[in-house]
Coordinates of all heavy atoms in Angstrom, one line a residue:
T23 N 243.6 93.6 145.2 CA 244.5 92.9 146.1 C 244.6 91.4 145.9 O 245.6 90.8 145.8 CB 244.3 93.2 147.5 OG1 244.2 94.6 147.7 CG2 245.3 92.6 148.4
F24 N 243.5 90.8 145.8 CA 243.4 89.3 145.6 C 242.8 88.8 144.3 O 243.1 87.6 144.0 CB 242.6 88.8 146.8 CG 243.1 89.2 148.2 CD1 242.4 90.1 149.0 CD2 244.1 88.7 148.6 CE1 242.7 90.5 150.2 CE2 244.7 89.1 149.9 CZ 243.9 89.9 150.7
G25 N 242.0 89.5 143.7 CA 241.4 89.1 142.5 C 239.9 88.6 142.9 O 239.7 88.1 144.0
V26 N 238.8 88.8 142.1 CA 237.6 88.4 142.3 C 237.0 87.6 141.1 O 237.6 87.8 139.9 CB 236.6 89.5 142.6 CG1 237.0 90.2 143.9 CG2 236.6 90.5 141.6
G27 N 236.1 86.8 141.2 CA 235.6 85.9 140.3 C 235.9 84.4 140.3 O 236.4 84.0 141.4
K28 N 235.6 83.7 139.3 CA 235.9 82.3 139.4 C 237.3 81.8 139.8 O 238.3 82.4 139.2 CB 235.5 81.6 137.9 CG 235.5 80.2 137.9 CD 235.1 79.6 136.6 CE 235.2 78.2 136.6 NZ 234.7 77.5 135.3
G29 N 237.4 81.1 140.8 CA 238.8 80.6 141.2 C 239.4 81.6 142.1 O 240.5 81.5 142.6
Q30 N 238.8 82.7 142.4 CA 239.3 83.7 143.3 C 238.3 84.0 144.4 O 237.5 83.2 144.8 CB 239.6 85.0 142.4 CG 240.6 84.8 141.4 CD 242.1 84.5 141.9 OE1 242.5 84.9 142.9 NE2 242.7 83.6 141.0
F31 N 238.3 85.3 144.9 CA 237.3 85.6 146.1 C 236.0 85.8 145.2 O 235.9 86.5 144.2 CB 237.9 86.8 146.9 CG 238.8 86.5 147.9 CD1 240.1 86.3 147.6 CD2 238.4 86.1 149.2 CE1 241.1 86.0 148.6 CE2 239.2 85.8 150.1 CZ 240.6 85.8 150.0
N32 N 234.9 85.4 145.8 CA 233.6 85.7 145.4 C 232.9 86.5 146.5 O 233.0 86.2 147.8 CB 232.9 84.5 145.1 CG 233.3 84.1 143.7 OD1 233.1 84.7 142.5 ND2 234.1 83.1 143.6
F33 N 231.9 87.3 146.1 CA 231.0 88.0 147.0 C 229.8 87.3 147.5 O 229.1 86.6 146.7 CB 230.7 89.4 146.4 CG 229.8 90.3 147.2 CD1 230.3 90.9 148.4 CD2 228.4 90.5 146.8 CE1 229.4 91.8 149.0 CE2 227.6 91.2 147.6 CZ 228.0 91.9 148.6
Y34 N 229.6 87.4 148.7 CA 228.3 86.7 149.3 C 227.6 87.7 150.1 O 228.0 88.3 151.0 CB 228.7 85.5 150.1 CG 229.3 84.4 149.3 CD1 230.8 84.5 149.2 CD2 228.5 83.4 148.7 CE1 231.5 83.6 148.4 CE2 229.2 82.4 148.0 CZ 230.7 82.4 147.8 OH 231.4 81.6 147.0
K35 N 226.3 87.8 149.8 CA 225.3 88.6 150.6 C 224.0 87.8 150.6 O 223.3 87.6 149.7 CB 225.1 89.9 149.8 CG 224.0 90.9 150.4 CD 224.2 91.4 151.8 CE 223.2 92.2 152.3 NZ 223.5 92.7 153.7
Y36 N 223.7 87.5 152.0 CA 222.4 86.6 152.2 C 221.2 87.5 152.6 O 221.4 88.6 153.0 CB 222.7 85.6 153.2 CG 223.8 84.7 152.8 CD1 224.9 84.5 153.7 CD2 223.6 83.8 151.7 CE1 225.9 83.6 153.2 CE2 224.6 83.0 151.3 CZ 225.7 82.8 152.1 OH 226.7 82.0 151.8
S37 N 220.1 86.9 152.4 CA 218.8 87.7 152.7 C 218.7 87.8 154.3 O 219.4 87.2 155.0 CB 217.6 86.9 152.4 OG 217.4 85.7 153.0
P38 N 218.1 88.8 154.9 CA 217.8 88.9 156.3 C 217.4 87.6 156.9 O 217.7 87.3 158.2 CB 216.8 89.9 156.4 CG 216.9 90.8 155.2 CD 217.3 89.8 154.2
Q39 N 216.5 86.8 156.3 CA 216.0 85.4 156.8 C 217.2 84.6 157.0 O 217.2 83.7 157.9 CB 215.0 85.0 155.9 CG 213.8 85.5 155.9 CD 213.7 86.9 155.1 OE1 214.6 87.1 154.2 NE2 212.7 87.8 155.2
K40 N 218.2 84.5 156.1 CA 219.4 83.8 156.2 C 220.5 84.3 157.0 O 221.3 83.6 157.7 CB 220.0 83.4 154.8 CG 219.0 82.6 154.0 CD 219.8 82.2 152.6 CE 218.9 81.2 151.9 NZ 219.5 80.8 150.5
E41 N 220.7 85.7 157.1 CA 221.7 86.5 157.7 C 221.7 86.0 159.1 O 222.7 85.9 159.9 CB 221.5 87.9 157.6 CG 222.8 88.7 158.0 CD 222.6 90.1 157.8 OE1 222.3 90.4 156.6 OE2 222.8 90.9 158.8
C42 N 220.6 85.9 159.8 CA 220.5 85.6 161.3 C 221.2 84.3 161.6 O 221.6 84.1 162.8 CB 219.0 85.6 161.7 SG 218.1 84.1 161.2
F43 N 221.3 83.3 160.7 CA 222.1 82.1 160.8 C 223.6 82.3 160.8 O 224.3 81.5 161.3 CB 221.6 80.9 160.0 CG 220.3 80.5 160.2 CD1 219.2 81.1 159.5 CD2 219.9 79.8 161.3 CE1 217.8 80.7 159.8 CE2 218.5 79.3 161.5 CZ 217.5 80.0 160.8
V44 N 224.2 83.3 160.1 CA 225.6 83.3 159.8 C 226.2 84.5 160.6 O 227.4 84.6 160.8 CB 226.0 83.4 158.3 CG1 225.4 82.2 157.6 CG2 225.2 84.6 157.6
G45 N 225.5 85.7 160.8 CA 225.9 86.7 161.7 C 226.5 87.9 160.9 O 226.5 89.1 161.3
F46 N 226.9 87.8 159.6 CA 227.6 88.8 159.0 C 226.7 89.5 157.8 O 225.7 88.8 157.3 CB 228.9 88.3 158.2 CG 228.8 87.2 157.4 CD1 228.3 87.3 156.1 CD2 229.0 85.9 158.0 CE1 228.4 86.2 155.3 CE2 229.0 84.7 157.1 CZ 228.7 84.9 155.9
D47 N 226.9 90.8 157.5 CA 226.3 91.4 156.4 C 226.7 90.9 155.1 O 225.9 90.6 154.1 CB 226.6 93.0 156.5 CG 225.7 93.7 157.4 OD1 224.5 93.2 157.7 OD2 226.0 94.6 158.0
Q48 N 228.0 90.8 154.8 CA 228.6 90.5 153.6 C 230.0 89.7 153.7 O 230.6 89.9 154.9 CB 228.7 91.7 152.7 CG 229.7 92.7 153.2 CD 229.9 93.9 152.2 OE1 230.9 94.1 151.7 NE2 228.8 94.7 152.0
A49 N 230.3 89.1 152.8 CA 231.7 88.3 152.8 C 232.3 88.2 151.4 O 231.5 88.2 150.4 CB 231.3 87.0 153.4
F50 N 233.5 88.1 151.5 CA 234.4 87.6 150.4 C 235.1 86.4 150.7 O 235.9 86.4 151.6 CB 235.4 88.9 149.9 CG 234.8 90.2 149.6 CD1 234.2 91.1 150.5 CD2 234.6 90.4 148.1 CE1 233.6 92.3 150.1 CE2 233.8 91.7 147.7 CZ 233.5 92.6 148.8
V51 N 234.7 85.4 150.0 CA 235.2 84.0 150.4 C 235.9 83.4 149.2 O 235.3 83.5 148.0 CB 234.1 83.3 151.0 CG1 234.5 81.8 151.3 CG2 233.4 83.9 152.1
K52 N 237.0 82.7 149.4 CA 237.5 81.8 148.4 C 237.3 80.4 148.9 O 238.0 79.9 149.9 CB 239.1 82.1 148.3 CG 239.8 81.4 147.2 CD 241.2 81.7 147.1 CE 242.0 81.0 146.1 NZ 241.4 81.1 144.6
T53 N 236.7 79.7 148.0 CA 236.3 78.3 148.5 C 235.9 77.4 147.2 O 235.6 78.1 146.3 CB 235.2 78.1 149.5 OG1 234.8 76.8 149.9 CG2 233.9 78.9 149.0
D54 N 235.9 76.2 147.3 CA 235.5 75.3 146.2 C 234.0 75.0 146.3 O 233.5 74.3 145.4 CB 236.4 74.0 146.1 CG 237.7 74.3 145.7 OD1 238.0 75.3 145.0 OD2 238.6 73.5 146.2
L55 N 233.4 75.4 147.4 CA 232.0 75.0 147.6 C 231.1 75.9 146.8 O 231.4 77.0 146.5 CB 231.6 75.2 149.1 CG 232.3 74.3 150.1 CD1 231.8 74.7 151.6 CD2 232.0 72.8 149.8
S56 N 229.9 75.4 146.4 CA 228.9 76.2 145.7 C 228.4 77.3 146.8 O 228.5 77.1 148.0 CB 227.8 75.3 145.2 OG 227.0 74.8 146.2
E57 N 227.5 78.2 146.3 CA 227.0 79.3 147.1 C 226.0 78.6 148.0 O 226.0 78.8 149.3 CB 226.3 80.2 146.3 CG 225.6 81.4 147.2 CD 225.2 82.5 146.4 OE1 225.3 82.5 145.2 OE2 224.7 83.5 146.9
K58 N 225.3 77.7 147.6 CA 224.2 77.0 148.4 C 225.0 76.2 149.6 O 224.5 76.2 150.6 CB 223.3 76.2 147.6 CG 222.3 75.3 148.3 CD 221.5 74.4 147.5 CE 220.4 73.5 148.3 NZ 219.6 72.8 147.3
D59 N 225.9 75.2 148.9 CA 226.7 74.5 150.1 C 227.5 75.2 151.0 O 227.5 74.9 152.2 CB 227.6 73.5 149.3 CG 227.0 72.4 148.5 OD1 225.9 72.2 148.8 OD2 227.6 71.9 147.6
L60 N 228.0 76.4 150.7 CA 228.8 77.3 151.5 C 227.7 77.8 152.8 O 228.1 77.7 153.9 CB 229.3 78.5 150.9 CG 230.1 79.5 151.8 CD1 231.2 79.0 152.6 CD2 230.5 80.7 151.1
F61 N 226.5 78.3 152.2 CA 225.6 78.7 153.3 C 225.2 77.7 154.2 O 225.1 77.8 155.5 CB 224.3 79.3 152.6 CG 223.2 79.6 153.6 CD1 223.4 80.7 154.5 CD2 222.2 78.8 153.8 CE1 222.4 81.1 155.4 CE2 221.2 79.1 154.7 CZ 221.3 80.2 155.5
N62 N 225.0 76.5 153.7 CA 224.5 75.3 154.5 C 225.6 74.8 155.4 O 225.3 74.5 156.6 CB 224.0 74.2 153.6 CG 222.7 74.3 153.0 OD1 222.0 75.2 153.3 ND2 222.6 73.6 151.7
K63 N 226.8 74.9 155.0 CA 227.9 74.7 155.8 C 228.1 75.6 157.0 O 228.1 75.2 158.3 CB 229.2 74.6 155.0 CG 230.5 74.1 155.9 CD 230.7 72.6 155.9 CE 231.9 72.2 156.3 NZ 232.0 70.8 156.5
L64 N 228.0 76.9 156.7 CA 228.1 78.0 157.7 C 226.8 77.7 158.7 O 227.0 78.0 160.0 CB 228.0 79.3 157.0 CG 229.2 79.7 156.1 CD1 228.9 81.0 155.5 CD2 230.5 79.8 157.1
K65 N 225.7 77.6 158.2 CA 224.5 77.7 159.1 C 224.6 76.4 159.9 O 224.2 76.5 161.2 CB 223.3 77.4 158.2 CG 221.9 77.3 159.0 CD 220.7 77.2 158.0 CE 219.4 77.0 158.9 NZ 218.1 76.8 158.1
E66 N 224.9 75.3 159.5 CA 224.9 74.0 160.3 C 226.0 74.2 161.3 O 225.8 73.9 162.5 CB 225.2 72.8 159.5 CG 225.3 71.5 160.3 CD 225.6 70.3 159.4 OE1 226.1 70.5 158.1 OE2 225.4 69.2 159.9
S67 N 227.1 74.7 161.0 CA 228.3 74.8 162.0 C 227.9 75.9 163.0 O 228.2 75.6 164.2 CB 229.6 75.3 161.2 OG 230.6 75.5 162.1
S68 N 227.3 77.0 162.5 CA 227.1 78.1 163.5 C 226.1 77.7 164.6 O 226.1 78.2 165.8 CB 226.5 79.3 162.8 OG 225.2 79.1 162.2
T69 N 225.1 76.8 164.2 CA 224.2 76.4 165.2 C 224.3 75.2 166.0 O 223.6 74.9 167.0 CB 222.7 76.4 164.5 OG1 222.9 75.4 163.3 CG2 222.2 77.7 163.8
K70 N 225.2 74.4 165.5 CA 225.4 73.1 166.2 C 226.6 72.9 166.8 O 226.8 72.0 167.7 CB 225.2 72.0 165.0 CG 223.8 71.9 164.6 CD 223.6 70.8 163.6 CE 222.2 70.6 163.0 NZ 222.0 69.5 162.2
N71 N 227.8 73.4 166.3 CA 229.1 73.1 167.0 C 230.0 74.4 167.2 O 231.1 74.4 167.3 CB 229.9 72.0 166.1 CG 230.4 72.8 164.8 OD1 230.0 73.8 164.5 ND2 231.2 72.0 164.1
G72 N 229.3 75.5 167.5 CA 230.0 76.6 167.9 C 230.9 77.3 166.8 O 231.8 78.0 167.0
Y73 N 230.3 77.1 165.5 CA 230.9 77.6 164.3 C 232.4 77.2 164.1 O 233.3 77.9 163.5 CB 231.1 79.3 164.4 CG 230.3 80.0 163.3 CD1 229.7 81.2 163.5 CD2 230.4 79.4 161.9 CE1 229.1 81.8 162.5 CE2 229.7 80.0 161.0 CZ 229.1 81.2 161.1 OH 228.5 81.9 160.1
K74 N 232.6 75.8 164.5 CA 234.0 75.3 164.2 C 233.9 74.7 162.8 O 233.2 73.8 162.4 CB 234.2 74.2 165.2 CG 234.3 74.7 166.7 CD 234.6 73.6 167.6 CE 234.7 74.1 169.0 NZ 234.9 73.0 170.1
L75 N 234.8 75.3 162.0 CA 234.9 75.0 160.5 C 236.2 74.3 160.1 O 237.2 74.7 160.7 CB 234.6 76.2 159.5 CG 233.2 76.9 159.9 CD1 233.4 78.3 159.4 CD2 232.1 76.1 159.3
S76 N 236.1 73.4 159.2 CA 237.4 72.9 158.7 C 238.0 74.0 157.7 O 237.4 74.9 157.4 CB 237.1 71.5 158.0 OG 236.2 71.7 157.0
N77 N 239.3 73.6 157.4 CA 240.0 74.6 156.6 C 239.6 74.4 155.2 O 240.4 74.0 154.3 CB 241.5 74.5 156.8 CG 242.1 74.8 158.1 OD1 241.4 75.6 158.8 ND2 243.0 74.3 158.5
F78 N 238.4 74.9 154.8 CA 237.9 74.9 153.3 C 237.8 76.1 152.8 O 237.4 76.2 151.5 CB 236.7 74.0 153.3 CG 235.4 74.8 153.9 CD1 234.7 75.8 153.3 CD2 235.1 74.6 155.2 CE1 233.7 76.4 153.8 CE2 234.0 75.3 155.8 CZ 233.4 76.1 155.2
F79 N 238.2 77.1 153.5 CA 237.9 78.4 152.8 C 239.0 79.6 153.3 O 239.8 79.3 154.4 CB 236.5 78.9 153.2 CG 236.4 79.4 154.6 CD1 236.6 80.5 155.1 CD2 236.2 78.5 155.6 CE1 236.5 81.0 156.4 CE2 236.1 78.7 157.0 CZ 236.3 80.1 157.4
I80 N 239.0 80.8 152.6 CA 239.6 81.9 153.3 C 238.5 82.9 153.1 O 237.9 83.1 152.0 CB 240.9 82.4 152.4 CG1 242.0 81.3 152.6 CG2 241.3 83.7 153.1 CD1 243.3 81.6 151.8
G81 N 238.1 83.6 154.1 CA 236.9 84.4 154.1 C 237.2 85.8 154.7 O 237.8 85.9 155.9
L82 N 236.7 86.9 154.1 CA 236.7 88.2 154.7 C 235.3 88.5 155.1 O 234.3 88.6 154.2 CB 237.3 89.3 153.9 CG 238.5 88.7 153.0 CD1 238.8 89.9 152.0 CD2 239.5 88.4 153.9
F83 N 234.8 88.7 156.4 CA 233.5 88.8 156.8 C 233.3 90.2 157.4 O 234.0 90.5 158.3 CB 233.1 87.7 157.8 CG 233.4 86.3 157.3 CD1 234.5 85.7 157.3 CD2 232.3 85.7 156.5 CE1 234.7 84.5 156.9 CE2 232.5 84.5 156.0 CZ 233.7 83.7 156.1
L84 N 232.3 90.9 156.9 CA 232.0 92.3 157.5 C 230.7 92.3 158.0 O 229.6 91.9 157.4 CB 232.2 93.4 156.3 CG 233.6 93.4 155.7 CD1 233.4 94.4 154.5 CD2 234.6 93.9 156.7

Side-chain angles (χ1 to χ4, degrees):
T23 308
F24 301 109
V26 294
K28 187 176 181 180
Q30 301 295 327
F31 279 86
N32 281 287
F33 176 72
Y34 296 88
K35 170 69 178 176
Y36 298 118
S37 68
Q39 292 76 19
K40 290 184 175 181
E41 187 179 309
C42 68
F43 292 100
V44 295
F46 53 85
D47 277 330
Q48 60 177 246
F50 294 86
V51 181
K52 184 176 176 61
T53 180
D54 292 331
L55 296 179
S56 68
E57 182 172 357
K58 180 180 179 180
D59 289 343
L60 176 62
F61 172 76
N62 288 337
K63 185 84 170 178
L64 293 171
K65 177 182 176 181
E66 180 180 17
S67 176
S68 69
T69 56
K70 292 184 178 180
N71 70 352
Y73 236 149
K74 295 177 181 177
L75 299 163
S76 57
N77 291 337
F78 65 87
F79 72 96
I80 298 173
L82 322 175
F83 302 91
L84 299 177

